[in-house]
Each structure stands twice: as structure tokens, then as C-alpha cells.
Amino acid sequence: MAQPELRGTTILAVLDDNGSTVAGDGQVTMGQAVVMKHSARKVRRIYKDKVIVGFAGATADAFTLFERFEAKLEEFKGNLVRSSVELAKDWRLDKYLRRLEALMIAADAEKLLILTGTGDVIEPDDGIAAIGSGGTYALAAARALKRNTDLSAEAICEKSMQVASEICVYTNGNLTIESLSREETKS
């Protein structure tokens, strides 16, 4: 008998002139109807607290990717783009890694990227990215807020994730929000 699929994630990232913010909800759902956990932490800082990552997908797979990504950041001295490209290459070509079922958002104070197992490293045009089951809802709300308000990246993330949690049954309002300012990372 196959194990029920664990799912339920929304990760949103917003980049503005001051830096970046990544937010994630805390819900983990098993199958179609059972909420297994309300307070999962799917967003965290890595590489000397200078990079924020958020994941959608299988938790064990995400932790494997976090470890590999942090090793790439160490190897390339914190260069987010180079580390992301190298991880995406490994992810796509490695027999073990390509079976991982996860997506990842990575941000430093100046760049925001989506990484996929198909080898994609995508830098969104508008400085907003979202993944996971509620990602499209959070993305739509964030775009509307960024275009029509003067809210900070952090405020846009918080409000947009709240909207997503009101629409997507796989997203809750128990948020983890991490921000990096350009001033903070200059030191």
C-alpha cells in the first residue's frame, strides 16, 4: 500500500529596493483531507545568514537540497546565482537528486531565484516569486500590492500570504517570515 502524499505549502518571496523577504506557511497536509502539522518551518536562513531559502515539496528532499545548496554557497563564496546554477545542474543530472520532489526559492539581499529539478534557475522580472499549492494566490496578491501600494517587501509578503491562506486549503496563516536588508549584508 502506497503512503499518502504529504503536501501543502505556500512560499512567497518579494524583492524591493531595500532587500528581500521570503515567507512560508506552516501547514503540512496528508492526502486530501488531513492536516498533519500546523507549524512546519519551510523558510530558513543559510550561509552565514546571508541567504534565505524556502521549499515546497517533500520535507526530506528539501533538507537534502538545503544541505547541497549550502555546500555550493560555501564553494562559490556566497555567489547566489553561480551556486544556484551549479545546484540545478547537479539536481537535473544526478541519478539520486533528480528523483527529489521539491521546488526551492533562494534569495539574498539583491537577487531572487526559483530553482527546479528540471535544471531551471528563474529570476522573476518583477522581483516576486511563489511556489507551492497556494503560490498562485500569493503571487497574484503580492503583484497587486507591489504595483498599487508603498508597502515594504515584508508587509507585502505577510498580507499576500494571508490572502493565500484564506483561499487555498493547503495553506495556513502560521507564517515564517525572513528578511534580508541590503544594509545588513554590506557588513
Side-chain angles (χ1 to χ4, degrees):
M1 183 170 160
Q3 290 288 335
E5 181 182 352
L6 291 172
R7 57 188 279 181
T9 298
T10 302
I11 304 294
L12 173 66
V14 176
L15 181 68
D16 65 14
D17 292 337
N18 298 314
S20 64
T21 298
V22 181
D25 78 308
Q27 184 166 303
V28 175
T29 308
M30 185 169 66
Q32 295 289 331
V34 179
V35 175
M36 297 295 294
K37 185 170 178 76
H38 299 280
S39 60
R41 187 170 170 82
K42 304 169 197 172
V43 173
R44 58 194 64 223
R45 287 177 180 237
I46 62 172
Y47 187 70
K48 304 172 188 170
D49 289 340
K50 293 181 179 182
V51 174
I52 305 170
V53 291
F55 73 89
T59 305
D61 294 351
F63 282 110
T64 298
L65 290 170
F66 284 171
E67 289 172 7
R68 296 274 183 129
F69 188 49
E70 191 154 31
K72 294 291 183 191
L73 287 163
E74 291 289 341
E75 181 180 351
F76 298 108
K77 298 175 179 44
N79 183 318
L80 182 68
V81 174
R82 177 79 190 274
S83 300
S84 297
V85 168
E86 293 301 322
L87 176 66
K89 277 195 236 176
D90 289 354
W91 193 354
R92 182 169 180 241
L93 298 174
D94 183 274
K95 188 183 279 189
Y96 169 73
L97 287 179
R98 73 173 162 231
R99 293 188 178 147
L100 299 181
E101 296 181 16
L103 289 169
M104 189 164 63
I105 287 180
D108 62 15
E110 298 183 17
K111 294 261 185 218
L112 169 60
L113 303 169
I114 300 172
L115 289 78
T116 74
T118 57
D120 295 318
V121 176
I122 303 163
E123 183 175 9
D125 291 333
D126 60 359
I128 305 171
I131 58 175
S133 54
T136 53
Y137 308 117
L139 180 66
R143 283 186 174 159
L145 288 169
K146 191 170 183 184
R147 291 176 186 168
N148 296 293
T149 70
D150 291 325
L151 293 173
S152 67
E154 187 169 337
I156 289 171
C157 278
E158 185 174 359
K159 291 179 181 303
S160 299
M161 290 294 290
Q162 184 60 44
V163 169
S165 76
E166 293 169 5
I167 299 170
C168 177
V169 297
Y170 297 111
T171 304
N172 71 14
N174 187 353
L175 305 179
T176 301
I177 301 174
E178 292 283 350
S179 297
L180 286 170
S181 73
R182 291 180 190 217
E183 291 300 317
E184 169 186 353
T185 58
K186 285 182 181 176
S187 54

